[in-house]
Amino acid sequence: MRQDTYSLGIDIGGTFTDIVLYSHGDARVSSHKELTTPDQPTAGAIRGIATLLAREQVEGAQVSRVVHATTLFTNALIERRGVKTGLITTEGFRDTLEMRREFKYDLYDLFVELPAPLVPREARLEATERLRADGSVDTPLDEASVLRAGQALADQGIESIAVVFLHAHANPVHERRARDLLEASFPELYVSISSEVSPQIREYERTSTTAANAYVRPIADRYLQSLEAQLKELGIACPLLMMLSNGGLAHAGEARRLPVQLLESGPAAGAIAAAYFSKRSGIADVLAFDMGGTTAKLAIVEDNQPVLAHSFEAGREKRFAAGSGLPINISTVELIEIGAGGGSIAHLDNMGLLKAGPQSASSKPGPACYQRGGTRPTVTDANLLQGHLDPETFAGGTMKLSREAARDALQPIGRELSLGLEQTAHGVVAIVNENMSAAARVHVAERGFDAHHFALLVTGGGGPLHGCDVARRLGIRRVICPPGAGVASALGLLIAPARVDRSITLARQLDAVTPEALEQLFRQLEENAAAVMQDTLVEGAAFAYERSADIRFVGQGFELVTRLPDGPFDGQTADHIRAAFAAAYGRIFGQVPPVQNIELMNLRVAAVEQNVERPLNLSGGKRDWTPSTASRQAWQPGRDAWADAPVRARETLRAGETLHGPAIVEDASSTLIIPAGATAAIDTAGNLIVDLQPTPSAPA
């Protein structure tokens, strides 16, 4: 008798680790939430996997595909918990990381703080070599100087080295030779070279990205080796795939070599899930709002595709100030992260004003109501005290919440503000909602969109709790809550296509390069991407290429990423490229200047898996979900009173049935709050659509 095979998705967040199991036979999905173990991230994940497999009566050998996303590496970068890292660079460029761009993100702050380099000055050494901007050799590589620098760094206890030579994006020959020398002489060291990590123009950004890769590479290598070994102990011997920041998948070997590509892997999975669920309901444009226990994320999904960027900043000194972080040149889902989650700590600032976050109780010790050692009030405590959460069935019944502990944590703030407990709890939730909506409003506007033209798709454990109020503050009239919303990022792992991005710097005017030369460069990038895709995909899987370029008008300082026509290129290609750039420029800036000459700075290729149609049967696995009560008292801030709200299990709702707020809809991983005056109904795709009444402050 043939056994069914399964895929496993593992998403490790700051508070919870989400595990989902997908049956290839009947498309059934089951899930489990486990508290994250920050000291040993694999411990909670393996425990959660074992629990889910046992509950669903699945053997480890039946799992044929494992996909994983984690915030471990970005947290190590932000919290400066990476390894001791060194840098070997061209003579005279030792201080590139310190000099940056000589740009002040806050022009009027005389004491502006910039992020400290990942590599201290004593660990930044020089080698004798020099390449010209066109890649030709000015000064040959002095191999002895490379080995002297390597020995000096090894003597400092350095574990990982970044090699970044001037103009190596144009010719990698010196970097590759330096890597070979270092790996042969110091086999215990990890070596990252910029011509592989970030083969693009601009020395500071390339150096910053390569240093970040070196900073987390040993952590990624050891972590992934440990995870693979522990999976094998459960009988799971299939290859491990990793979610990349661009929303695609790559095999673990590629992730070990270039872990910088994983920095935004968790949020990317959530955006992929949002695109999938919105397409099922025929809604093309949504804002994907994912709120977990530690952070909230918002991504723009246009025409059922997440909007991508090809750089971002990590570890900003000021969360919303561009230029205040470390630039990282990778392809990533365009999103904003907000220090707001269920674990965000409520407090009074120096002026006595109520604040929520960005500090978080995370999973250790967690919110006060978890009764795991936390005593400070959090957003989760406030939601519990408003009747939004069921203390008996929270997180799928894996833990019980304490109203008394939440009350004890929040009461001191209420006394300071001379407010009752309910008003204080509502104030905490309202403030965190306003913080999230304000950040989302700016993020969407900066990218040339109007928020109220979108629907809001809510995921994560906190997204459905807060989504309707956030939508109203943004002027959005429709909220989409997909099935399995609380584990949507893990679901995104199962439906994401494999994807590999490659780039190269050209830096030439369009009129100065022939279509044949452009075609040859793109073919080289495609061959490089294809080699990784063939190691990632199962035999017979198809993939296609998408071409784009960073383009600017001649004389401009920055570029706009523009999708290009598919090859092969011919005599009409230049006109097509100009038209595509003009259309993209006009959408962002509103008008196109009468300039004809444009430059192609970086060429980009994405190899994307095709025909990825994985139907999902989100019936809840072998365990039906049942709320502990048919209704409960929920606080109504508009009336400043308690009201009885019916509680429905998500699985009991039928297509066409309409709910009128106030009402609460629960499943094993999340709780949706339908406010008074709103209506909600399940559509034919299984999404719960909430229609909100317009408010005086919201656009019609």
Side-chain angles (χ1 to χ4, degrees):
M1 178 178 175
R2 185 186 65 83
Q3 285 187 319
D4 285 340
T5 58
Y6 295 82
S7 288
L8 191 67
I10 311 164
D11 178 30
I12 299 181
T15 303
F16 282 100
T17 293
D18 296 336
I19 316 292
V20 295
L21 190 67
Y22 174 78
S23 169
H24 296 168
D26 58 10
R28 179 170 44 84
V29 174
S30 52
S31 64
H32 174 74
K33 275 185 173 289
E34 186 80 24
L35 275 173
T36 294
T37 49
D39 297 333
Q40 290 183 300
T42 57
I46 293 298
R47 184 166 59 245
I49 293 168
T51 300
L52 182 57
L53 293 181
R55 194 187 81 203
E56 298 298 317
Q57 300 174 8
V58 173
E59 298 292 333
Q62 293 176 256
V63 178
S64 61
R65 187 169 179 264
V66 179
V67 188
H68 179 34
T70 177
T71 60
L72 174 66
F73 311 131
T74 188
N75 289 343
L77 189 66
I78 293 170
E79 298 169 12
R80 301 302 176 100
R81 293 187 288 102
V83 303
K84 292 187 68 175
T85 303
L87 171 69
I88 300 177
T89 189
T90 305
E91 281 184 335
F93 289 83
R94 179 184 184 185
D95 294 318
T96 297
L97 286 177
E98 205 87 52
M99 294 171 65
R100 300 179 177 84
R101 287 276 169 200
E102 298 184 357
F103 167 78
K104 289 180 66 175
Y105 61 86
D106 189 340
L107 186 62
Y108 301 104
D109 186 351
L110 298 179
F111 305 99
V112 64
E113 293 187 13
L114 297 172
L118 295 174
V119 184
R121 194 169 196 273
E122 62 271 15
R124 303 196 299 261
L125 304 182
E126 299 175 347
T128 302
E129 67 84 41
R130 185 74 176 242
L131 296 172
R132 298 187 181 95
D134 62 0
S136 60
V137 177
D138 181 88
T139 302
L141 177 66
D142 182 349
E143 297 184 356
S145 68
V146 173
L147 293 174
R148 285 195 300 271
Q151 185 63 62
L153 292 174
D155 291 343
Q156 292 183 33
I158 295 297
E159 294 183 56
S160 186
I161 293 177
V163 178
V164 186
F165 291 152
L166 186 66
H167 302 312
H169 64 274
N171 185 353
V173 60
H174 285 179
E175 284 192 350
R176 290 177 179 174
R177 179 56 181 160
R179 177 185 59 190
D180 293 343
L181 291 168
L182 292 168
E183 289 180 343
S185 300
F186 310 99
E188 72 283 1
L189 293 178
Y190 292 82
V191 182
S192 301
I193 62 175
S194 74
S195 52
E196 289 186 354
V197 176
S198 178
Q200 298 177 29
I201 197 171
R202 296 194 173 96
E203 296 304 314
Y204 169 52
E205 288 80 359
R206 184 159 55 88
T207 306
S208 175
T209 304
T210 309
N213 191 79
Y215 190 69
V216 299
R217 187 177 173 190
I219 296 173
D221 187 56
R222 292 191 286 263
Y223 169 79
L224 293 175
Q225 283 190 14
S226 172
L227 180 60
E228 287 181 311
Q230 293 181 67
L231 287 171
K232 288 179 180 178
E233 292 177 4
L234 293 177
I236 302 173
C238 60
L240 175 64
L241 299 178
M242 297 298 297
M243 168 64 71
L244 303 179
S245 301
N246 60 18
L249 305 178
H251 61 81
E254 175 81 352
R256 287 198 189 95
R257 188 173 65 90
L258 298 172
V260 72
Q261 296 185 64
L262 307 176
L263 294 182
E264 295 292 308
S265 64
I272 292 293
Y276 172 86
F277 286 116
S278 61
K279 185 176 182 179
R280 281 168 45 131
S281 289
I283 301 174
D285 301 328
V286 300
L287 302 181
F289 172 59
D290 182 286
M291 183 178 178
T294 306
T295 59
K297 285 82 65 176
L298 184 127
I300 300 171
V301 176
E302 185 182 21
D303 197 20
N304 298 126
Q305 292 291 330
V307 175
L308 295 184
H310 295 285
S311 65
F312 81 105
E313 291 182 10
R316 284 180 170 177
E317 292 296 318
K318 291 188 177 180
R319 184 174 294 274
F320 304 122
S324 67
L326 300 173
I328 308 292
N329 281 344
I330 60 171
S331 296
T332 178
V333 169
E334 180 82 81
L335 55 84
I336 187 170
E337 291 201 30
I338 309 155
S344 294
I345 296 172
H347 61 281
L348 300 179
D349 66 8
N350 293 333
M351 297 179 64
L353 300 176
L354 180 61
K355 302 291 184 182
Q359 294 80 20
S360 174
S362 66
S363 63
K364 189 177 181 181
C369 60
Y370 283 14
Q371 301 183 89
R372 293 175 176 264
T375 58
R376 302 181 68 183
T378 68
V379 173
T380 296
D381 296 307
N383 273 312
L384 178 63
L385 292 174
Q386 289 190 107
H388 292 170
L389 296 173
D390 188 332
E392 300 299 318
T393 59
F394 182 74
T398 58
M399 60 191 307
K400 307 295 184 184
L401 303 184
S402 169
R403 294 183 193 273
E404 292 73 20
R407 185 181 301 114
D408 291 344
L410 204 60
Q411 273 181 337
I413 290 180
R415 284 195 294 266
E416 288 287 333
L417 296 173
S418 300
L419 292 176
L421 189 63
E422 295 86 355
Q423 290 87 353
T424 304
H426 168 66
V428 171
V429 173
I431 284 173
V432 80
N433 287 349
E434 180 57 33
N435 290 343
M436 293 186 293
S437 59
R441 190 179 298 112
V442 172
H443 176 74
V444 173
E446 286 180 343
R447 280 140 191 88
F449 298 101
D450 291 327
H452 68 273
H453 290 157
F454 290 79
L456 189 73
L457 192 142
V458 294
T459 58
L465 274 173
H466 296 256
C468 289
D469 190 41
V470 169
R472 280 179 165 170
R473 293 169 188 270
L474 289 171
I476 292 174
R477 299 276 295 276
R478 174 163 287 187
V479 174
I480 308 168
C481 183
V487 292
S489 289
L491 285 172
L493 300 174
L494 300 182
I495 58 180
R499 178 184 174 119
V500 174
D501 285 85
R502 290 292 182 263
S503 64
I504 190 173
T505 293
L506 178 63
R508 295 181 66 186
Q509 290 191 31
L510 177 60
D511 292 338
V513 59
T514 66
E516 293 77 17
L518 270 181
E519 181 67 24
Q520 183 178 2
L521 290 171
F522 274 109
R523 288 287 179 89
Q524 292 173 0
L525 292 174
E526 288 168 356
E527 290 173 2
N528 186 292
V532 179
M533 289 292 283
Q534 288 163 1
D535 290 337
T536 303
L537 297 175
V538 298
E539 186 176 354
F543 61 92
Y545 301 109
E546 297 176 0
R547 296 178 174 185
S548 60
D550 299 354
I551 306 178
R552 67 186 185 187
F553 288 113
V554 173
Q556 285 186 319
F558 295 93
E559 302 83 42
L560 188 64
V561 179
T562 305
R563 177 70 186 274
L564 302 186
D566 298 331
F569 289 165
D570 55 27
Q572 303 300 314
T573 296
D575 291 337
H576 294 321
I577 291 176
R578 287 191 182 91
F581 174 64
Y585 197 98
R587 187 182 68 80
I588 296 295
F589 299 105
Q591 59 183 352
V592 182
V595 181
Q596 294 300 313
N597 294 332
I598 61 175
E599 292 179 291
L600 306 181
M601 300 305 293
N602 298 310
L603 306 183
R604 301 183 183 277
V605 159
V608 184
E609 183 182 3
Q610 301 296 295
N611 304 319
V612 183
E613 295 294 338
R614 298 186 177 98
L616 298 180
N617 174 11
L618 296 159
S619 59
K622 296 182 179 178
R623 181 184 62 173
D624 292 330
W625 178 255
T626 304
S628 64
T629 59
S631 66
R632 64 172 175 263
Q633 292 285 297
W635 182 254
Q636 303 300 308
R639 297 163 50 191
D640 206 26
W642 292 93
D644 194 59
V647 179
R648 293 290 302 274
R650 174 72 179 249
E651 296 174 0
T652 66
L653 298 177
R654 296 294 175 259
E657 180 183 358
T658 299
L659 295 178
H660 297 273
I664 299 171
V665 179
E666 294 182 346
D667 63 21
S669 63
S670 66
T671 300
L672 172 68
I673 302 299
I674 303 171
T679 59
I682 293 282
D683 67 7
T684 56
N687 289 326
L688 188 54
I689 310 296
V690 182
D691 288 309
L692 303 172
Q693 285 185 339
T695 60
S697 60

